Amino acid sequence: MIFAMTRTEHRRRTPLLLVEAATLLSATGNGVAVVALPWLVLERTGSATAAGVVAAASGLPLLLSSLFSGTVVDLLGRRRTALVSDALSAVSVAAIPLVDTLVELNLGWIVALAVLGAVFDPAGMTARETLLPAAAQAAGWRIERANGVHEAIFGLAFLIGPGVGGLLIATVGPEATFWVTAAGFALSVLLVAAVRLPGAGRPDRPPNGLWRGTQEGLGFVWRDPLLRTLSLITMALVALYLPFEGVLLPAWFVAEGEPARLGAVLMAMSAGAVAGALGSSVAGRFVRRRSLMAAALVVTGLALLGLALLPPYPGMLAFAGLVGLAYGPVNPLANYAMQTRTPERLRGRVVGVMTSFAYAAGPAGYLLAGPLVEWLGLATAFLVLAGALLVAVLIAAPLPVLAALDEPPRYPPAPPGGTTGRSEGPVPLGEQWLPAAHRDPPASR
């Protein structure tokens, strides 16, 4: 009997394990590519400009594709979108050494393959994220716990991915590194193909076209006060936070001649973020979500200001870790809001739209940081960006609309036994049970 119960529990948790294992492999592969692609370009051309062209070519399509990614998920289905995304990544990565063997691998080929691998990444990420509620329900997990683990795994992948890429380049060379990375993406395809969950297949009510579906997602986010506020908060945080990682800290440590310390500070941020995401699933049992969000925002702002004061190296490490730790709960809480305030048929579009806001804010922050450094100097630019972020979070943290994080879910999963109370098994998430107060009136259906 005990053995049978154990096997049953294992089967219930299998979909969640498959989704998270695929997330780890896919995100780690992208982290490896972040290192391997510029390394290959620099090795072949010796041109930093060429490496920048490849980075821009793989990054710019994300701005547009992320906006439509959720609509693609709602058109094709969650499992199918994740499969296509990882398959394209595997093909694009494997094609680099293959093209190099068959014809001369020049910059044009590298740019084209980098774009092919990156353009569908937001859709794959959105698809795996929209599978979480059903996977958590099957495993008997609270959705907050699943969100915290998912964000921690995503952060862990980007923490270890560049390190794995550097190790592979050093041991087997850049060409073989791409073959290993392609194998990781292929394994992710197999894992996602094995996922069996309600709502994972072809949607029953797909959107009416790519653009109209995206408009519907944009409209839904903008009409919901909490989702609209979280989108704006995320945009402000990303725009002011990313320049620290991508511009200011690298410039500071280059001037100091300490590249190894730069890596350690960025790793401390990432490790703190992983711990913060995991901790958010525990903290949610003891504190209100609004309180957790407010504390996360304020402590992130204060810790970033401490880092911007450029203390001695041990202090920088401590503040960097605290920045990541404090910021860790923000994404899981935003995910929870999207999952519980969005009808099942719109979930992909809403996740994709809100993700696209963050993608758009990052380049805006980078464009601001460069001129700011040239105009005010590096040390002052640190303080200006950190001060602006602190002002933003002090305005956002007490906003009354954040209390909606603690409201009952508008679109909860179906209760055990379905809507009738019979033991017919789980109701497909496309036919969710809703409390009477949240059901659409007949005229609007």
Side-chain angles (χ1 to χ4, degrees):
M1 181 66 177
I2 294 176
F3 177 70
M5 289 177 63
T6 303
R7 290 188 62 183
T8 300
E9 290 175 358
H10 176 72
R11 285 196 298 272
R12 291 173 59 224
R13 293 179 181 175
T14 295
L16 182 62
L17 292 173
L18 290 172
V19 170
E20 296 307 334
T23 297
L24 180 62
L25 284 169
S26 181
T28 300
N30 287 326
V32 171
V34 165
V35 173
L37 277 172
W39 185 284
L40 179 67
V41 173
L42 288 169
E43 185 180 73
R44 295 297 178 88
T45 68
S47 170
T49 300
V53 167
V54 173
S58 58
L60 288 177
L62 300 181
L63 296 178
L64 185 61
S65 65
S66 62
L67 179 62
F68 296 100
S69 62
T71 309
V72 171
V73 171
D74 288 341
L75 279 169
L76 299 183
R78 295 162 186 174
R79 183 173 55 238
R80 183 176 300 176
T81 303
L83 290 172
V84 171
S85 174
D86 285 338
L88 285 177
S89 293
V91 168
S92 66
V93 169
I96 291 175
L98 186 61
V99 169
D100 195 32
T101 301
L102 300 176
V103 298
E104 182 180 358
L105 184 67
N106 54 32
L107 185 62
W109 272 110
I110 296 175
V111 168
L113 293 173
V115 170
L116 175 66
V119 71
F120 224 65
D121 278 348
M125 183 176 68
T126 299
R128 286 186 290 271
E129 190 170 310
T130 53
L131 286 169
L132 273 185
Q137 182 186 358
W141 281 27
R142 295 167 58 249
I143 188 61
E144 292 97 328
R145 181 184 181 189
N147 283 327
V149 169
H150 182 76
E151 291 296 331
I153 287 176
F154 197 79
L156 178 64
F158 276 95
L159 176 62
I160 65 176
V164 170
L167 181 63
L168 286 171
I169 290 170
T171 54
V172 300
E175 290 80 8
T177 296
F178 288 110
W179 284 118
V180 174
T181 308
F185 282 121
L187 181 56
S188 178
V189 169
L190 295 177
L191 293 174
V192 173
V195 171
R196 294 293 181 269
L197 285 170
R202 183 183 293 274
D204 293 329
R205 299 170 62 189
N208 186 19
L210 190 64
W211 175 240
R212 185 168 294 182
T214 302
Q215 284 182 309
E216 195 174 3
L218 282 166
F220 186 90
V221 170
W222 194 251
R223 287 190 300 270
D224 187 289
L226 178 60
L227 297 183
R228 181 175 68 241
T229 300
L230 289 175
S231 297
L232 296 175
I233 290 173
T234 300
M235 289 183 72
L237 289 175
V238 169
L240 296 169
Y241 173 80
L242 280 188
F244 270 76
E245 290 189 356
V247 178
L248 301 187
L249 285 172
W252 174 259
F253 283 109
V254 166
E256 294 288 307
E258 294 286 356
R261 289 188 172 186
L262 170 63
V265 168
L266 295 180
M267 287 183 66
M269 281 186 177
S270 298
V274 170
L278 287 174
S280 69
S281 63
V282 178
R285 292 179 175 270
F286 304 103
V287 298
R288 295 171 65 88
R289 297 185 193 95
R290 177 188 181 178
S291 301
L292 181 59
M293 176 64 85
L297 293 174
V298 172
V299 176
T300 297
L302 292 172
L304 201 64
L305 181 61
L307 182 61
L309 293 172
L310 301 174
Y313 177 61
M316 294 188 78
L317 281 177
F319 279 119
L322 183 58
V323 167
L325 184 67
Y327 189 77
V330 173
N331 285 335
L333 288 169
N335 290 348
Y336 174 84
M338 289 186 284
Q339 292 156 353
T340 58
R341 299 177 70 84
T342 306
E344 183 71 15
R345 69 181 186 87
L346 285 175
R347 185 171 295 153
R349 275 162 278 180
V350 169
V351 172
V353 164
M354 294 186 69
T355 300
S356 72
F357 291 162
Y359 274 115
Y366 287 134
L367 291 174
L368 170 67
L372 200 63
V373 170
E374 294 182 3
W375 180 37
L376 300 175
L378 187 55
T380 305
F382 268 109
L383 292 175
V384 169
L385 286 179
L389 189 142
L390 181 59
V391 170
V393 298
L394 289 177
I395 292 172
L399 288 175
V401 69
L402 295 182
L405 285 167
D406 294 299
E407 292 178 355
R410 290 186 176 181
Y411 298 94
T419 59
T420 65
R422 300 193 303 268
S423 58
E424 71 263 21
V427 173
L429 292 184
E431 303 294 335
Q432 287 169 317
W433 169 81
L434 299 180
H438 294 302
R439 289 179 183 157
D440 295 332
S444 67
R445 289 184 178 177

